[in-house]
Amino acid sequence: MIVTCLPAISHALDLSGSWSGSWHDSRTGHKGPLRAVFVQLEDGNYQVNFRGRFAKIIPFRYSVVLEAKEKDGKVHLAGTSNISRRRGTFYYKAEATDTSFVSSFRSRKDDGEFRLTRITHASSDSQ
């Protein structure tokens, strides 16, 4: 009898999908709700489409490509985005699991954090 041992197939963590949570700027004290949709790109990085509210009523939307590297069961992400002429360039550094995304952000006027959790839908298959 011949027994063949095959290496275990490692499935990379996929952050694709909808996320929800909040943002907080520790420099200004501003905070608000935040939603994001993660789309994995062919190179393994992510385009993240954020939308949220500033000062409870002012909506904002923007997209950023975050470079992704998986290590120790987590995805480490980093990137930059020029939000607007007034707000300038934002720098992001994040860590994610399959259910949690925490990112610091900073710019010349802002310094804070995003905290998101994956939006899951109850499966109709479970009994």
Side-chain angles (χ1 to χ4, degrees), residues 108-122:
R108 68 176 182 252
K109 295 182 178 184
D110 300 282
D111 189 1
E113 186 174 78
F114 296 159
R115 288 193 167 270
L116 301 171
T117 55
R118 187 186 294 269
I119 297 172
T120 58
H121 301 283

Side-chain angles (χ1 to χ4, degrees), residues 15-27:
L15 305 178
S16 298
S18 298
W19 296 71
S20 180
S22 62
W23 65 274
H24 177 261
D25 188 320
S26 57
R27 191 178 296 177

Side-chain angles (χ1 to χ4, degrees), residues 4-127:
T4 305
C5 293
L6 298 174
I9 297 172
S10 173
H11 294 286
L13 213 52
D14 185 0
L15 305 178
S16 298
S18 298
W19 296 71
S20 180
S22 62
W23 65 274
H24 177 261
D25 188 320
S26 57
R27 191 178 296 177
T28 66
H30 292 294
K31 61 184 176 181
L34 185 67
R35 287 187 167 272
V37 176
F38 286 67
V39 177
Q40 190 170 38
L41 304 174
E42 287 182 18
D43 61 5
N45 295 327
Y46 288 89
Q47 177 171 328
V48 186
N49 302 304
F50 290 106
R51 64 185 166 96
R53 294 212 172 264
F54 175 80
K56 295 184 182 178
I57 59 169
I58 302 169
F60 64 82
R61 287 178 180 236
Y62 68 93
S63 293
V64 61
V65 172
L66 297 175
E67 293 182 21
K69 291 186 179 22
E70 191 167 347
K71 183 179 177 187
D72 300 328
K74 295 181 182 180
V75 179
H76 300 267
L77 304 111
T80 62
S81 179
N82 188 341
I83 299 298
S84 71
R85 191 172 178 166
R86 183 171 183 233
R87 302 302 323 162
T89 300
F90 278 65
Y91 300 87
Y92 308 92
K93 188 173 181 182
E95 190 174 274
T97 65
D98 62 340
T99 59
S100 172
F101 173 85
V102 178
S103 176
S104 63
F105 67 85
R106 66 178 171 80
S107 72
R108 68 176 182 252
K109 295 182 178 184
D110 300 282
D111 189 1
E113 186 174 78
F114 296 159
R115 288 193 167 270
L116 301 171
T117 55
R118 187 186 294 269
I119 297 172
T120 58
H121 301 283
S123 171
S124 59
D125 297 337
S126 61
Q127 304 240 345

